[in-house]
Amino acid sequence: EEKYLNTMQRMMDINFWSHVYCTQLFLPFLSESDDKSYIINTASLAAIGKGDSMYHITKHAMAAYSQTLTTEFKGDDKYKDIEILCLCPGFVATDLV
C-alpha cells in the first residue's frame, strides 16, 4: 500500500538515514582529529526489544548500523580514535507520525 511505503520511507529517513548522512559528512573531520572522537547515535529501547511496528524496524536498523561501524572501525588505524555509542532511551510520546 502506498501510504504504508510513504510512512516507512519517512520513518527510515528520520530514524536511520539522517544518522548515516551525518556520520558520512563528519567522518573525514573526526578521522583527522588528534583527539578522541565520538559518534553518538540515538536508537530506542525498541531496538533491543521485541516489536512488530515500522518504528521498531527503524530502531533495529540504527542499532545494527552502530554495531557495524564499531566492528569496521576496530581494525582500521584511520578510525582508531573514534568510538561509536548508541543510546537507547525509553519510550517518549510524540506526534511525529
Side-chain angles (χ1 to χ4, degrees):
E1 184 174 305
E2 188 174 338
K3 182 180 177 184
Y4 174 87
L5 292 176
N6 289 339
T7 301
M8 183 63 180
Q9 182 64 53
R10 177 171 157 78
M11 290 183 79
M12 284 298 291
D13 287 346
I14 293 167
N15 292 338
F16 178 70
W17 286 112
S18 61
H19 288 80
V20 173
Y21 293 139
C22 284
T23 298
Q24 294 306 308
L25 178 67
F26 288 101
L27 195 55
F29 302 104
L30 297 175
S31 66
E32 293 172 8
S33 173
D34 293 331
D35 298 321
K36 184 151 181 80
S37 301
Y38 297 90
I39 295 173
I40 303 173
N41 294 320
T42 304
S44 166
L45 286 178
I48 55 177
K50 289 184 177 181
D52 58 358
S53 70
M54 291 182 281
Y55 178 79
H56 284 84
I57 293 167
T58 66
K59 295 305 183 173
H60 278 284
M62 189 70 258
Y65 177 66
S66 298
Q67 290 173 337
T68 300
L69 286 179
T70 298
T71 300
E72 289 180 355
F73 287 4
K74 265 188 182 168
D76 193 330
D77 283 344
K78 183 176 181 180
Y79 303 119
K80 68 181 182 334
D81 291 326
I82 301 174
E83 187 171 341
I84 309 299
L85 304 173
C86 186
L87 304 178
C88 294
F91 297 97
V92 178
T94 69
D95 295 326
L96 185 60
V97 177

